[in-house]
């Protein structure tokens, strides 16, 4: 793939932003500034960055709870994301949702969903809406390998195919659903093959390579945008950290993880490749690294300094308060 | 008597039943080698093997339904919901299949579905709920909510031995925070028998689950003001111990019904209504209810505190009632 320097830098910067953001989130979690259940994306950054590069502003995204990377790749304000993790009033949902429920309606980012598989049917509804309204937008629906075993996955693929909806089902196969390896939970171990049951094209891609992800996603998006119906893309990837904070990771060997970290780190790999191809210079990398560090530092500061929401605000968000219905 | 955490006590009870009855088995997501998200089942696989400590795919409808079928065949499955919030994904299997099989054709369904419920850990809207009301409303199900380690053990054993489907709601905040003397070996706490958690003179607090501890905390604070709370821990909601509740109400004449689940449609409404129907002439004030707010469970700590009933809420309402 011919990558221009501007795009290459943007992708590198974004991947690194996701990584540094999450490393900081892990530190803040350890210090007790972030609570609850927090799932990191470290190791999978190329999937988000490559996939989102293939989207347009009119497209929609809906995803699961491991979504810090997706939010950042879509361009969400990292101050608001960090503040949400801190449970602050300035967080993207005012502290009501936390890490697993980041949303930005302006960016058509319908956000993270903590009930595994729960958002797949919703993706079909959004795609149905887009189709009925006659635009050319598509829906990117992201989930894990584990989610492909729940009934909602199967119902959604079938609906999307029967109704020929513009949805790209993007499965981030990181080889485990929590502590369960794919082969222990799924009779069909290539998730892409499940698409065949519903007459949907399924492809796989190296999820550690943003260029490959971008190209595959470009094809998938064009297919859906052209009205040819849904596509399933399986990105082969790996999470370098535990399922959530405090996972002793007894279900995999240290060697296996090290192998991926040493040879499959998407950021190192991309950087090396850009250096070899002389697309980005060492100086440019250093400049971007420093910028990203500052940006994350500023986000953490913003989150620390922001106020907590007041308890009385709790009642405000339950119902739509304006009168309903058409005039 | 051995001292155990609430979490260890649940495991001790399950282990005891697995040793006693080869038809008892554990099933759920990552309950085997991983030991469960909270480690309730940790180590069971080493003693009982993969056939009796079964990891499942991520498929709540599927594995709950499979457990129901196995229960029809004479097994006694103990199903873990990784978080009780995900029980919604199996709602149809539980409320339409398991709950009604005996009514329809006399088919017993000895099944336990257990998992961590409740808030206080910044779990946010999908990892903090107290869903007892959904299930008490369905005839055919029993609902259990232990507050102490000893009860956690005695009630899980009773639930496993029960020939009906039982929803056993653990409280994740209590897992490692509550520790008490737990009888080793055989120990059964029958369903439907409440526990007098604190004897008192002025106000009966009827509660269950983690709120028992919040009420005890409030009672300590109120003692100094000369207000004495009697605290009844229901332990199970279906069936529930109406006798003990009425006896206490007749003694004190004042009642607070307290629960962690949201207000509207909460089981507190049922208890409150029963008391006014059956002990109206003993009441010296309105039956007061304290609960979470009618909102989803928020993530942010100060919001969650405002959402959950706190000891100071109990203190405030108790003072109002005492002065009534
Ligand atoms: C319906 C439901 N069941 C179980 C869970 C608990 N849980 C959260 S994430 C997870 C594993 C999901 O694995 P996968 O889909 O592969 O995504 P990954 O975490 O690997 O990104 C489980 C079992 C849940 N959140 N929702
Ligand atoms: Mg996975």
């Amino acid at each position: 793939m011919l990558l221009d320097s501007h795009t290459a830098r943007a992708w590198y910067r974004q991947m690194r932003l996701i990584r540094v953001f999450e490393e900081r989130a892990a530190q803040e979690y350890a210090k007790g500034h972030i609570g609850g259940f927090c799932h990191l994306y470290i190791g999978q950054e190329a999937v988000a960055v490559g996939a989102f590069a293939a989207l347009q502003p009119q497209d929609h995204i809906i995803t699961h709870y491991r979504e810090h990377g997706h939010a950042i790749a879509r361009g969400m304000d990292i101050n608001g994301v960090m503040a949400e993790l801190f449970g602050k009033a300035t967080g993207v949902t005012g502290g009501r949702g936390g890490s697993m429920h980041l949303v930005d309606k302006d960016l058509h980012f319908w956000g993270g969903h903590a009930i595994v598989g729960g958002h797949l049917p919703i993706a079909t509804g959004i795609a149905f809406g887009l189709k009925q309204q006659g635009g050319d937008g598509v829906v990117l629906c992201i989930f894990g390998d584990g989610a492909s075993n729940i009934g909602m996955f199967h119902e959604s693929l079938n609906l999307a195919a029967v109704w020929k909806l513009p949805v790209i089902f993007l499965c981030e196969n990181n080889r485990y659903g929590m502590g369960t390896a794919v082969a222990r939970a799924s009779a069909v171990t290539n998730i892409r093959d499940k698409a065949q049951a519903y007459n949907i094209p399924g492809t796989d891609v190296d999820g550690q390579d943003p260029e490959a992800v971008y190209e595959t996603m470009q094809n998938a998006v064009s297919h859906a945008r052209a009205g040819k119906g849904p596509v399933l893309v399986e990105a082969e990837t790996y999470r370098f950290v535990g399922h959530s904070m405090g996972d002793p990771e007894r279900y995999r060997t240290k060697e296996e993880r090290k192998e991926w970290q040493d040879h499959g780190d998407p950021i190192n790999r991309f950087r090396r490749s850009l250096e070899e191809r002389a697309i980005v210079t060492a100086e440019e990398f250093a400049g971007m690294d420093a910028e990203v560090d500052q940006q994350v530092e500023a986000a953490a500061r913003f989150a620390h300094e922001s106020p907590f929401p007041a308890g009385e605000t709790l009642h405000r968000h339950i119902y739509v308060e304006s009168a309903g219905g058409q005039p | 008597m051995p001292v155990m955490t609430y979490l260890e006590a649940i495991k001790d009870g399950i282990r005891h039943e697995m040793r006693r009855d080869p038809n008892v088995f554990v099933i759920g997501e990552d309950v085997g080698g991983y030991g469960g998200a909270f480690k309730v089942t940790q180590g069971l696989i080493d003693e009982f093997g993969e056939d009796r400590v079964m990891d499942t795919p991520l498929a709540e409808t599927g594995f709950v339904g499979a457990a129901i079928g196995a229960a029809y065949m004479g097994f006694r499955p103990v199903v873990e919901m990784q978080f009780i919030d995900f029980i919604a994904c199996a709602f149809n299997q539980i409320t339409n299949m398991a709950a009604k099989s005996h009514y329809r054709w006399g088919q017993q369904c000895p099944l336990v579905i257990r998992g961590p419920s409740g808030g206080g850990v910044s779990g946010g809207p999908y990892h903090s709920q107290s869903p007892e009301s959904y299930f008490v409303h369905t005839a055919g199900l029993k609902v259990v909510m232990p507050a102490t380690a000893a009860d956690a053990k005695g009630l899980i054993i009773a639930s496993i031995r029960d020939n009906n489907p039982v929803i056993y709601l653990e409280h994740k905040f209590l897992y490692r925070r509550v520790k008490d003397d737990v009888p080793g070996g055989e120990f059964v706490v029958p369903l439907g028998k409440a526990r007098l958690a604190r004897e008192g003179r002025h106000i009966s607090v009827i509660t269950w689950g983690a709120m028992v501890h919040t009420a005890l905390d409030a009672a300590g604070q109120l003692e100094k003001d000369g207000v004495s709370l009697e605290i009844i821990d229901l332990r199970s909601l279906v069936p529930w111990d109406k006798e003990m509740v009425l006896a206490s109400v007749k003694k004190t004449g004042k009642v607070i019904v307290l629960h962690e689940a949201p207000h509207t449609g909460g089981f507190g409404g049922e208890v409150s209504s029963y008391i006014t129907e059956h002990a109206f002439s003993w009441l010296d004030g309105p039956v007061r209810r304290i609960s979470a707010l009618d909102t989803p469970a928020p993530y942010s700590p100060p919001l969650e505190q405002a959402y959950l009933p706190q000891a100071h809420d109990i203190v405030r309402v108790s003072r109002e009632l005492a002065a009534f």
Side-chain angles (χ1 to χ4, degrees):
Chain A
M1 177 177 168
L2 255 182
L3 199 59
D4 66 82
S5 168
H6 176 78
T7 308
R9 275 180 284 137
W11 290 5
Y12 171 82
R13 198 182 181 293
Q14 227 175 23
M15 285 203 282
R16 192 153 185 290
L17 180 62
I18 296 169
R19 176 73 57 95
V20 176
F21 178 93
E22 288 208 310
E23 286 169 348
R24 182 60 180 254
Q27 289 166 16
E28 299 290 351
Y29 190 95
K31 288 189 213 151
H33 298 301
I34 296 173
F37 306 99
C38 183
H39 307 80
L40 301 182
Y41 192 62
I42 291 176
Q44 304 183 204
E45 296 90 344
V47 182
V49 171
F52 283 64
L55 297 181
Q56 297 298 325
Q58 73 270 30
D59 297 332
H60 291 243
I61 300 106
I62 190 163
T63 182
H64 63 167
Y65 49 86
R66 196 181 298 288
E67 92 286 31
H68 305 155
H70 306 148
I72 294 171
R74 185 57 171 177
M76 270 177 76
D77 164 35
I78 70 162
N79 287 3
V81 174
M82 190 66 96
E84 185 65 29
L85 268 52
F86 276 62
K88 295 297 181 81
T90 51
V92 294
T93 66
R96 296 193 298 284
S99 158
M100 297 186 268
H101 311 109
L102 305 170
V103 189
D104 191 327
K105 281 178 80 173
D106 294 337
L107 295 173
H108 298 162
F109 187 80
W110 295 90
H113 288 74
I115 302 295
V116 171
H119 62 293
L120 275 75
I122 314 289
T124 67
I126 295 170
F128 172 82
L130 286 173
K131 189 175 171 180
Q132 292 297 103
Q133 287 162 359
D136 75 340
V138 302
V139 179
L140 173 61
C141 174
I142 310 173
F143 51 92
D145 45 277
S148 74
N149 299 317
I150 202 160
M152 292 177 278
F153 167 89
H154 298 274
E155 298 184 25
S156 304
L157 261 67
N158 188 55
L159 277 182
V162 168
W163 293 341
K164 245 183 163 189
L165 298 175
V167 193
I168 297 98
F169 293 103
L170 172 59
C171 177
E172 295 197 51
N173 182 350
N174 59 9
R175 315 211 160 209
Y176 298 90
M178 215 166 112
T180 303
V182 170
R184 293 185 57 230
S186 184
V188 173
T189 51
N190 293 325
I191 310 299
R192 58 190 173 276
D193 292 347
K194 296 188 182 185
Q196 284 175 21
Y198 305 101
N199 230 340
I200 293 176
T203 54
D204 79 323
V205 64
D206 177 357
Q208 305 311 86
D209 176 355
E211 294 171 81
V213 173
Y214 172 75
E215 278 183 315
T216 302
M217 276 294 300
Q218 272 284 53
N219 293 334
V221 169
S222 320
H223 180 98
R225 215 186 285 294
K228 295 181 189 161
V231 184
L232 188 144
V233 175
E234 175 183 2
E236 311 248 16
T237 184
Y238 198 81
R239 67 172 153 68
F240 293 179
V241 291
H243 168 73
S244 62
M245 314 305 290
D247 166 6
E249 297 180 55
R250 257 177 265 142
Y251 47 87
R252 61 186 185 186
T253 62
K254 287 204 180 67
E255 293 71 38
E256 177 187 292
R257 191 179 70 179
K258 190 167 181 313
E259 177 70 22
W260 276 89
Q261 285 174 313
D262 290 350
H263 303 288
D265 187 313
I267 302 179
N268 291 344
R269 248 175 67 170
F270 190 50
R271 180 175 177 142
R272 231 176 302 122
S273 150
L274 295 177
E275 280 169 350
E276 277 162 19
R277 288 183 283 167
I279 298 176
V280 179
T281 66
E283 221 178 7
E284 287 171 319
F285 279 123
M288 288 189 284
D289 289 354
E291 258 172 52
V292 163
D293 290 348
Q294 274 171 21
Q295 203 183 335
V296 170
E297 185 60 40
R301 202 176 326 115
F302 175 80
H304 273 288
E305 288 167 2
S306 291
F308 277 109
E312 309 84 76
T313 62
L314 206 48
H315 276 299
R316 264 187 226 153
H317 306 279
I318 317 298
Y319 294 100
V320 178
E321 275 159 25
S322 57
Q326 302 282 324
Chain B
M1 230 188 271
V3 174
M4 286 181 207
T5 63
Y6 181 95
L7 184 146
E8 288 160 352
I10 298 167
K11 183 182 4 203
D12 197 54
I14 296 172
R15 190 196 292 119
H16 184 266
E17 288 309 282
M18 290 182 82
R19 285 180 183 161
R20 201 182 70 95
D21 180 352
N23 287 320
V24 177
F25 72 96
V26 166
I27 175 169
E29 289 156 8
D30 277 313
V31 293
Y34 200 98
F38 288 90
K39 310 291 178 209
V40 175
T41 58
Q42 190 163 45
L44 292 180
I45 194 165
D46 303 328
E47 180 171 349
F48 301 104
E50 287 187 359
D51 289 347
R52 293 185 66 200
V53 185
M54 285 179 64
D55 281 341
T56 67
L58 206 163
E60 282 78 6
T61 287
F63 66 75
V64 169
I68 294 170
Y72 291 173
M73 295 301 289
F75 289 89
R76 290 182 176 271
V78 180
V79 182
E80 174 170 297
M81 286 290 142
Q82 198 171 89
F83 283 80
I84 209 67
D85 311 66
F86 315 149
I87 202 169
C89 296
F91 197 73
N92 175 53
Q93 292 295 324
I94 298 167
T95 59
N96 282 328
M97 309 296 174
K100 295 174 178 51
S101 65
H102 194 263
Y103 179 73
R104 288 211 299 124
W105 77 98
Q107 176 58 57
Q108 71 174 41
C109 183
L111 168 75
V112 177
I113 300 178
R114 49 154 290 270
S117 64
V121 302
S122 286
Y126 309 97
H127 292 76
S128 307
Q129 299 178 76
S130 296
E132 64 265 27
S133 279
Y134 297 127
F135 301 106
V136 298
H137 198 61
T138 301
L141 301 177
K142 296 189 177 182
V143 178
V144 176
M145 292 182 81
T148 67
D151 285 346
K153 173 171 174 178
L155 290 168
I156 191 76
I157 292 181
S159 300
I160 294 170
R161 292 185 190 177
D162 202 286
N163 287 328
N164 297 284
V166 179
I167 310 295
Y168 179 96
L169 303 173
E170 301 157 14
H171 201 293
K172 67 176 80 68
F173 188 83
L174 305 183
Y175 273 151
R176 293 182 167 78
R177 288 181 178 88
V178 162
K179 214 175 196 180
D180 44 66
D181 291 338
V182 178
E186 174 83 11
F187 175 58
V188 184
V189 173
L191 308 190
K193 291 272 173 252
R195 178 179 69 96
L196 186 62
R198 184 184 200 275
E199 212 175 317
R201 299 184 308 281
H202 303 131
I203 299 172
S204 303
V205 179
I206 319 300
T207 188
W208 51 90
M211 283 298 127
V212 171
H213 302 278
T214 313
L216 286 167
D217 185 7
Q221 298 179 35
L222 284 160
E223 197 62 55
K224 293 172 227 126
D225 306 358
V227 178
S228 159
L229 300 188
E230 172 146 303
I231 299 172
I232 294 183
D233 170 7
L234 282 188
R235 303 200 281 201
S236 64
L237 306 186
V238 179
W240 68 281
D241 193 343
K242 298 175 174 119
E243 244 170 76
M244 189 191 277
V245 168
L246 286 187
S248 174
V249 171
K250 289 177 182 176
K251 181 175 96 175
T252 63
K254 292 185 176 174
V255 191
I256 294 172
V257 184
L258 165 69
H259 57 68
E260 183 181 323
H263 194 76
T264 303
F267 191 66
E270 182 62 32
V271 174
S272 162
S273 142
Y274 186 86
I275 291 169
T276 47
E277 271 187 276
H278 294 89
F280 188 73
S281 45
W282 281 271
L283 288 175
D284 296 323
V287 176
R288 297 290 302 268
R289 291 168 61 196
I290 304 175
S291 65
L293 304 180
D294 281 332
T295 83
Y299 162 70
S300 180
L303 291 183
E304 192 182 23
Q305 281 212 343
Y307 162 80
L308 291 173
Q310 304 291 335
H312 60 76
D313 298 316
I314 303 165
V315 168
R316 178 177 43 78
V317 173
S318 299
R319 288 200 178 119
E320 286 168 18
L321 254 190
F324 192 87

